[in-house]
Each structure stands twice: as C-alpha cells, then as structure tokens.
Amino acid sequence: MSPLFLLLSLLLYLGLLFLVALLGEGRARALAQSPWAYALSLAVYATAWTFFGSVGRAATEGATFLPIYLGPTLVLLLWPFLHARLLQLARAHRLTSWADYLYLRYGHPLLGPLAAAFLVVGLLPYLALQLKAIAQGFLFLSGEEGPLADVALLTALLLALFTVLFGTRRLDPSERHQGLVLAVAFESLVKLLALLLVGGLVLLHLGNPFPQAQGKLNPLLLPPPGLAGHLAWGSLVVLSGLAFLFLPRQFHVAVVENVDPGHLRLAAWAFPLYLLLINLPILPLALWGRLLLPGENPDLYVLALALEGGGPLLAALALLGGVSAATAMVVVEGLALSILISNHLLSPLLLRFRALGSLLLWRRLSILGVLLLAYLYFRLAGEAYALVGMGLISFVAVAQLAPPALLGLFWPGATRQGALAGLLGGMAVWAYTLFLPALARSGWLPLGFLQGPHPLLRPEGLLGVEGLDPVTHGFLASLGLNLALAVGVSLFTRKEALPGERTGEVAELSALLRRVLGPEAEEAFRKEASSLRGPQAAALAEAWLSGALGPATARLLLLSATREVPPEELVEEAARESKEVRAYARALEAARKELSEAYERLKALDQAKDELLAAVSHELKTPLTSVRALAEILEAHPDLPEEERRRFTALLAKEAARLSRLVEEVLAYTRLQAGLPLRRTPTDLRALAQEALALAAPLARERGVGMEAHLEGVEAPTDPDRVLQVLLNLLHNALRHARNRVRLELSRRGREAFFRVQDDGPGVAEGVRARVFEPFQSFSGGTGLGLFLARRLVEGLGGRIWLEEGQGGASFAFTLPLEVNHEDPGGGR
C-alpha cells in the first residue's frame, strides 16, 4: 500500500478530529455535554493495546487478555459511593488529579510532587506503546522496513499540537473541554466500529476458526492452569481495576470533565457494554492469526487479517481504528500529565522566581516534553516488548497510588508518614522489578542485572519466588510492600493536624485572583463569594487557585491575602453549625425513615419481580417448545396428509392461545404495578358478562364443559376493561377445574353489584384456601397470577372478592359499588 496514501489518510483523519473538536467547542456543545458523550469518553481506557495488543496477547497467551477488561467492569460496582464521593471532593476543592487529593488529604509537601514525577516516568511505557502501535502499523501496510522511529516522532509532534490547541487554552485546567470530550467520544466510536467491521468481514471471508483451532490451540481458549495461572489471572483483574481508577486520563474524563453526576448511571452499564463489544472479535482474530500467519508479529494480526479478509481498504480502516485508539489516549494522558507537572512541579518553582505568568506556556511545553520522553522510551526499550507488556508495566506504576488514596478515603487513621513510606517503597520495588529489567532486555543495562546481586534479590524473583510471570511478580511485590508500609507506619505514627482554617476579605481575595488568573476569574469569584463569610470566601479562593496552580502553590499564595481564623470566630462558627447540624439531623432522621420504608417496598417489588420472571419463564417454555416442534414438523414435511396438517395447525393455534393468555396475565400484572389510573364509565354489567362468556366459550368447548348463566340487568360506573379481565380470569380458572359445568351469576344486592362464578370441580383444599389470592400460588399449573390479579383489580375498583364457603366445587364471588364517591388512582392496595 502506498506510504503517501496512508500518510494522507492519517492526516485527513487528524483533520476530521480537529473538526469534531471545534464543533464540540461551538455548535455541538450540548452533544459534548450529554451522558452518552461522557460514557464514550470513558472508553479512552481502550487504547492501541486493546485494538492491536489484545489480539497479540490472545494469540500468544490465550484468554489472559480478558482480565484487563473484567477489572474495570467490576470496579463500576463501586461507583455509587466511590465516584460520587470523589466528584463531591473534586467540585468542592477543584481537584484535577489524584496527586491533588493526596496533598489535600495528607498535607505533606512531598506527596504531590512525588506522585506527579512518578506517574510521568511510570506512564512513559504506556505512551510509547501508542506511538509504537501507530508506527509499526503504518510501516507494515506501506511495506517499508523503517525507520520505525521517524513515523513515531511525527505522530508525537502532531498529537502534541492537538493537545495544546484543545486542552490548554486557559490556565484553569479544572474547566471542561467540551471539544476534547467530543473528539474522544468520536474516536471511541471509530475504534469500536472499525474493530467490529474487521472482525465481521474476516469471519465472513475465512469462516469460523474454532473448529480448526480445537486440539492444537485449545490452551488459548482457557484460563491459564495451575496456582500460578490463577494468581496471574486474579492479579490482572485487580491490577486493571486499580488502573481504571487511578490512570490520570481516567480521572480527567471521569471527574474533571464530568458536567453532571447523574451521567454516572448511564456510564455504569454503557461502558461495560462497550468493553464487551470491542472484545468480541479478539479471540477469533487471534485464532485465525495463529492458523494463517504463524511467522507474523502477533501485534500485527489485525492488520494482516484485514488485508486477507477485505483487501487494502479494510486494512486502511483497521489502521485508522488503531490510530483513533492511540491518539485518544495520548491526547488525554498528555493533557493530564501536563497538569500534574505544572501543578506539582512547575508552579512552586515559578512562584519562587515570580514567573507564574508564564505557567500556561510551560504547561504547553510540558505536553511536548512528555510525548518526546515517550518517544525516547520507545527508542530505548520499545522494541523489546509486545504492546501489552509495555502497557502492563505502566499499569503497575499507576496502581501504586491505590494504597495512600483509598486508605485516605476510607480510613481516618492513615497518616502522611504512612502514605509517603508506602509510596516510596512501592515505587522502588516497581523500578527494580519491572522498569529497570525492561531497559536491561533492551540492551541499555547489562543483562547480568536480571540475575540480581543475590539469588533472593533477583529482580524477577524476589525472596526466591519462582513461577510467576514478571508483571504478576512485580505487581504483587510492589503493591504488597506499599500497602504494608502505608498501614504499618500509620499505626505507629500520629496523625498531624492539617493547616488551620484561614479567613480574608472578598476584596483582597478578588485582587489576588485577578493578579494570578485574570479579570474573568476575579469577576466570577466576586459573584460567587458575595454572600459568603470570610472563611468560606477564603476556602473558595483556595479552590480556584488550586485548580489552576496546584494545592501547594495555592496555599502559599493565600498566605499573603488571608489570616488564621481567630478562636472567637471559631466558637461562633461552631455554635451556628451545631444548630444547623441538629436541624439537619432531624431532617435526615425523617428522610431515613422514608428511605427505609421505600427500601422495604423496593425489596418486596424486587422479590416479586424475580418470582414473576421464574414463573413466566417456566410457563412459557412448554408452549414455546410445542410451537417450535410443530412448526418444524410442518416445515420438514410439506407432503403431510391434509387431516394431519389440520390437526397440527389446530395444536399450533391452541398453544398460541395459551401463550397469549400467559402474556396477557403478565401485561396485566405490569399495568397494576405501574399504578395506571382507572377509566370509570357507565357500564352495562350484563352485556359485559355476556361478552366474557363468549370469550371463554372456546375453552369450554375444548374441555367439554357446559356454561350456564343467570344475569340481571345492572349498570355501574366502573372500568369495563378491568371488570372484563376479572371475569375472564375467574371463568378460565373455573373451566380448568370443572367436571361438567360452570355457572356465572349477576344480581343487584343493595348498593352493590354481585357476581358469582361457580364450578362443579373438586373445590379448594382447606389447607390452601387462605393463599388462593396470593401471587404465584399455582395449584394446577399456570403462573399463579390469575386470582391475584382478580383481587387487585376488584379492590382497585372499590369492591370485594372472596372464596365462598360450603359450596360444591369452588365458588368465587365479588362485588362492585353502584355509586362511587371518590376516584382511586391505583390498582388496589
């Protein structure tokens, strides 16, 4: 394929990306702020690793690619309380990263810079992975031998330009970037559709690989065996879940770019669905790659099979899908890392030299610097690892933030000394077990480094642990030491008080924001702080400065415009807040009672739903099986005698009618649960009873049961559809149990209309009479909803229903009021 054609395609795609981002900043701003754009932006998690590397890993190591996506799916179970809490903190303090949170929680001046610097180093392999994927895909399709690095360098420079244009327009990084979000959401759709299309066309062209793969490729279809395999599988699930939580780009799209916490509800199911869809083609492509391309680089199977299954155009589309996966990650990760660098490394330094005015320029330069460092790592170590291996090294680095962050969120006893010790220990073990061995395998360190100074200190076998793959070993060793130090040191150190609360005048704080952030920030702050008292205004100003400059620099700047809150003000504030707390406590107690009652109702509804699903699925299975079998017989034997064909057709109609009755019962049940309002109209009850008898007549003829009626002329204001449903339920119930006859009676009794449905069957046993009107109580087959629905419908109409005593067979009676003084909007109790 022509290199010029591929290069033009890449440039046109990047131009389209620019256009989408511009639309997100303008006319399509509402679309960029929609819940679907938010959910799709989370798919920045799926990178070139997913598009190319997962197929390569599946082809070499089998199903071990799955835990990388199971982890985030399981983590989403924590969103209702973890992300909601994080969003609240982020909005209150304008957090832009987990490093900001660590400073906010512990107040240690080293934690933020240490986390920022470590994440930059730790994520270089991950960024280099994206550059490598684009470059090697380009060279593979163009037929060029190299140099691979030149394509990667051009890619890094173009993506740095895009990130600067759409991610660093203003100094405040906590503002939303709608254009960037829409571009990332667009790329998520492109990579998903491209991979599904490649997989579908390859399967259409080559067929199903699984029959051919059985035997020699069976291990690829199963999880790794043995204790080491299970440990690796579980470790990858945990590792990917932590990476999803703590990757800077995930924090940026999930927290910083979130415009509505309600979007989390859609993302909680839409994002796992996205991961499921994008992983559907992985295993078939990996198997075909192993079968047809045994000598090819597994990371290039997607492109090679696209050429095989669809030709150059499909291969070019596959390359663009991989480019979209890589560029989205590089842009958002580069932006997030530049914010980390400027907030925690550059801001304090520029403040010391009184050069904060140049911070935006330095932030833009840091984006370029990060991508050039990623390119350098690719040149140093990128050729020695597969795509997934490079990404996993970064995942383990990011996971080192988990112990101090999660302990800080959920354990009040965590101390700054424990957090710092754990982070330092985890970083050191990560570098020793994963980062430096990667350089050794690339030839930049002596290979003897892999043997270690002592057998017990071997980088990939600490303390003599053998049998684990390097990533699992490095993950367990680094995170284990990190957690042990964080907890252990916290238990033996005292928690230090954070800096005291400060107060200040709105005018002084506004002037400070004007000097640092500009007149727009000053005006917005004045409007928001006009009704706030001193400490609250100071806290708001600190949050604004923290979002733009980082928490440490914001605290230093506030020292010039604020003072500590005097003790008497603290006492007054405490007294006022005490009164408010008591009022809130009373309101919360009332709300708790309401929620408790609602919870019990929801539990009952949920249990009823489960019972309904079980009953309906059981009851639907028999007629569906019969319908399918009869239809297959009729299709397979077109020459059946006419008499046999009529008999089978009659059976089909019978089973279809049975299905219809079951569906009608379920629909009636759902209408009741929804509480649909009544439609009372003057109704001729005798005509309604005659209609019910006519509708039940086919079932009576089928069972050979005679039907009798004694109907007086009665009119009542009621809902005719609901009354007809009650009569049909009772008549069908009677016909199922009757031996020879069923009798329906209607008469006027005082101010009520009286109905009775009687059969000459065996009657209702004494032990079950008390439960005949309960849901799902079936004593002769069926869903057990008929009598329950009849009771709910009658009670909703203002009447009563009961099972009569002392009658032969079974006799059910119910009444309806002839006069209605009020409207009951529900369907009974």
Side-chain angles (χ1 to χ4, degrees):
M1 194 177 299
S2 167
L4 181 59
F5 170 76
L6 289 176
L7 184 60
L8 287 176
S9 299
L10 291 178
L11 292 176
L12 285 175
Y13 176 76
L14 288 177
L16 177 62
L17 205 60
F18 271 86
L19 179 61
V20 171
L22 286 173
L23 288 174
E25 298 284 350
R27 295 182 179 179
R29 181 181 294 265
L31 179 61
Q33 296 177 346
S34 68
W36 281 106
Y38 177 73
L40 286 171
S41 70
L42 293 178
V44 72
Y45 177 82
T47 66
W49 169 347
T50 300
F51 201 92
F52 296 125
S54 288
V55 174
R57 186 175 179 87
T60 55
E61 301 186 33
T64 58
F65 75 95
L66 280 176
I68 307 302
Y69 308 98
L70 290 176
T73 302
L74 295 176
V75 162
L76 290 177
L77 299 175
L78 305 175
W79 273 38
F81 59 94
L82 177 58
H83 269 68
R85 186 171 182 178
L86 196 57
L87 281 175
Q88 184 181 10
L89 285 171
R91 277 169 167 71
H93 301 281
R94 297 215 166 195
L95 303 181
T96 59
S97 66
W98 280 104
D100 289 357
Y101 169 74
L102 292 179
Y103 181 85
L104 174 71
R105 168 62 175 82
Y106 297 106
H108 199 294
L110 291 179
L111 274 175
L114 184 65
F118 177 63
L119 284 175
V120 171
V121 175
L123 287 169
L124 289 180
Y126 205 0
L127 290 165
L129 178 161
Q130 315 305 317
L131 302 179
K132 177 180 179 180
I134 295 174
Q136 72 179 11
F138 182 89
L139 294 182
F140 175 77
L141 291 184
S142 65
E144 300 287 336
E145 296 296 329
L148 183 62
D150 291 344
V151 181
L153 178 60
L154 176 62
T155 302
L157 295 175
L158 288 174
L159 294 180
L161 175 63
F162 182 90
T163 309
V164 166
L165 289 178
F166 291 100
T168 58
R169 291 188 175 184
R170 296 180 180 85
L171 186 60
D172 185 1
S174 62
E175 68 173 353
R176 276 84 184 193
H177 307 87
Q178 286 86 1
L180 183 65
V181 169
L182 190 61
V184 172
F186 171 76
E187 292 199 293
S188 296
L189 285 175
V190 170
K191 63 193 176 191
L192 174 63
L193 295 177
L195 191 56
L196 290 177
L197 186 61
V198 169
L201 290 179
V202 167
L203 289 179
L204 186 65
H205 179 72
L206 299 178
N208 182 7
F210 291 96
Q212 302 183 46
Q214 286 184 356
K216 58 182 178 179
L217 295 181
N218 270 350
L220 296 183
L221 307 178
L222 301 171
L227 177 60
H230 297 330
L231 192 59
W233 182 279
S235 298
L236 284 177
V237 171
V238 176
L239 174 60
S240 59
L242 293 178
F244 178 74
L245 280 176
F246 292 98
L247 279 167
R249 71 174 186 274
Q250 296 301 139
F251 187 97
H252 190 84
V253 295
V255 178
V256 178
E257 299 293 350
N258 179 270
V259 296
D260 183 359
H263 291 173
L264 295 175
R265 290 191 294 272
L266 174 70
W269 64 264
F271 179 64
L273 177 62
Y274 183 96
L275 293 182
L276 172 65
L277 293 175
I278 204 169
N279 277 282
L280 288 178
I282 298 299
L283 202 52
L285 290 175
L287 293 176
W288 274 125
R290 285 289 299 271
L291 291 169
L292 301 180
L293 308 166
E296 188 60 75
N297 178 2
D299 287 337
L300 294 172
Y301 279 172
V302 173
L303 295 176
L305 290 171
L307 275 174
E308 181 73 22
L313 288 180
L314 184 62
L317 177 63
L319 178 62
L320 289 180
V323 168
S324 70
T327 53
M329 180 273 184
V330 171
V331 167
V332 182
E333 200 78 85
L335 174 60
L337 289 179
S338 73
I339 294 171
L340 273 171
I341 293 171
S342 66
N343 281 6
H344 295 278
L345 300 176
L346 294 177
S347 290
L349 189 63
L350 294 176
L351 178 62
R352 179 175 300 178
F353 290 99
R354 299 183 179 181
L356 276 177
S358 61
L359 181 59
L360 186 59
L361 172 63
W362 283 102
R363 181 172 291 158
R364 291 168 175 168
L365 291 175
S366 66
I367 292 174
L368 178 62
V370 165
L371 294 187
L372 289 179
L373 284 174
Y375 167 75
L376 180 62
Y377 181 90
F378 164 58
R379 290 294 303 271
L380 294 176
E383 297 293 342
Y385 280 83
L387 296 180
V388 173
M390 295 170 67
L392 287 174
I393 293 175
S394 292
F395 268 25
V396 178
V398 171
Q400 303 310 314
L401 296 182
L406 294 180
L407 288 175
L409 277 173
F410 299 107
W411 182 36
T415 67
R416 58 171 63 183
Q417 295 89 345
L420 183 62
L423 194 57
L424 286 172
M427 290 165 49
V429 174
W430 170 83
Y432 186 69
T433 59
L434 290 172
F435 188 73
L436 294 178
L439 295 180
R441 284 194 169 87
S442 304
W444 294 92
L445 288 177
L447 275 178
F449 175 82
L450 297 177
Q451 303 305 316
H454 187 276
L456 295 180
L457 297 178
R458 196 166 61 85
E460 297 178 346
L462 289 177
L463 302 179
V465 175
E466 301 291 343
L468 297 178
D469 66 272
V471 171
T472 302
H473 168 267
F475 170 62
L476 294 177
S478 60
L479 200 70
L481 180 63
N482 189 333
L483 182 60
L485 287 174
V487 174
V489 174
S490 292
L491 291 174
F492 290 98
T493 54
R494 295 179 59 184
K495 186 176 179 181
E496 299 180 17
L498 294 176
E501 189 176 12
R502 302 188 69 83
T503 185
E505 300 297 329
V506 172
E508 295 180 5
L509 295 169
S510 300
L512 174 62
L513 264 66
R514 182 183 182 86
R515 290 197 305 271
V516 178
L517 301 181
E520 292 182 1
E522 178 200 17
E523 183 179 354
F525 174 77
R526 279 186 179 276
K527 291 180 180 179
E528 193 169 345
S530 59
S531 60
L532 301 179
R533 297 181 306 108
Q536 296 169 331
L540 179 63
E542 183 175 4
W544 281 55
L545 291 170
S546 177
L549 308 173
T553 304
R555 172 65 62 163
L556 291 174
L557 285 171
L558 275 179
L559 295 177
S560 64
T562 60
R563 63 186 186 280
E564 288 192 8
V565 179
E568 60 271 15
E569 289 189 27
L570 288 175
V571 172
E572 293 175 3
E573 178 74 9
R576 187 184 62 81
E577 290 183 352
S578 178
K579 292 180 182 179
E580 294 178 352
V581 167
R582 285 195 295 270
Y584 287 146
R586 289 192 294 270
L588 286 173
E589 179 61 22
R592 186 195 64 79
K593 291 181 180 179
E594 292 179 4
L595 287 174
S596 178
E597 294 172 359
Y599 175 71
E600 293 300 325
R601 291 195 297 270
L602 287 175
K603 279 177 57 179
L605 287 174
D606 188 63
Q607 182 178 359
K609 176 204 68 176
D610 293 341
E611 292 171 347
L612 172 65
L613 289 175
V616 168
S617 61
H618 175 74
E619 288 302 316
L620 290 177
K621 183 177 180 181
T622 301
L624 280 174
T625 303
S626 300
V627 167
R628 179 179 177 182
L630 291 168
E632 289 176 350
I633 291 173
L634 291 173
E635 182 183 15
H637 301 86
D639 55 346
L640 276 175
E642 188 60 27
E643 180 178 352
E644 285 292 303
R645 181 174 295 276
R646 283 198 300 271
R647 187 169 68 86
F648 283 127
T649 304
L651 289 173
L652 268 174
K654 176 183 176 182
E655 293 300 328
R658 183 179 174 188
L659 276 173
S660 178
R661 288 195 300 273
L662 289 171
V663 171
E664 182 56 34
E665 285 187 354
V666 174
L667 290 176
Y669 176 80
T670 55
R671 287 194 293 268
L672 279 175
Q673 295 299 103
L676 297 179
L678 298 175
R679 298 183 298 105
R680 294 188 189 274
T681 58
T683 302
D684 185 347
L685 296 181
R686 179 166 61 179
L688 201 63
Q690 291 171 345
E691 181 181 356
L693 288 170
L695 291 173
L699 180 61
R701 287 194 298 270
E702 176 186 332
R703 293 183 174 271
V705 176
M707 299 185 69
E708 304 172 2
H710 176 75
L711 308 175
E712 297 180 6
V714 182
E715 287 193 358
T718 189
D719 188 326
D721 292 336
R722 295 196 180 195
V723 178
L724 182 61
Q725 181 69 50
V726 174
L727 289 171
L728 287 175
N729 284 0
L730 294 178
L731 287 171
H732 286 159
N733 182 67
L735 287 170
R736 281 198 296 268
H737 296 88
R739 295 189 178 96
N740 299 305
R741 68 179 182 85
V742 168
R743 180 177 176 82
L744 172 62
E745 298 177 8
L746 167 63
S747 61
R748 179 191 297 267
R749 292 192 177 182
R751 301 172 66 179
E752 293 181 325
F754 174 81
F755 288 89
R756 174 187 286 132
V757 178
Q758 187 176 9
D759 65 68
D760 62 348
V764 181
E766 189 65 32
V768 300
R769 293 177 70 88
R771 294 185 286 119
V772 292
F773 291 107
E774 295 300 320
F776 314 112
Q777 301 294 324
S778 176
F779 306 105
S780 61
T783 62
L785 285 174
L787 292 176
F788 167 74
L789 290 171
R791 187 196 72 183
R792 289 288 301 275
L793 289 168
V794 169
E795 290 174 349
L797 294 167
R800 300 171 292 116
I801 187 169
W802 66 93
L803 173 62
E804 292 187 317
E805 301 281 352
Q807 301 286 340
S811 178
F812 289 89
F814 70 96
T815 63
L816 295 174
L818 298 179
E819 297 179 3
V820 178
N821 297 322
H822 67 280
E823 289 291 331
D824 180 0
R829 60 180 174 84

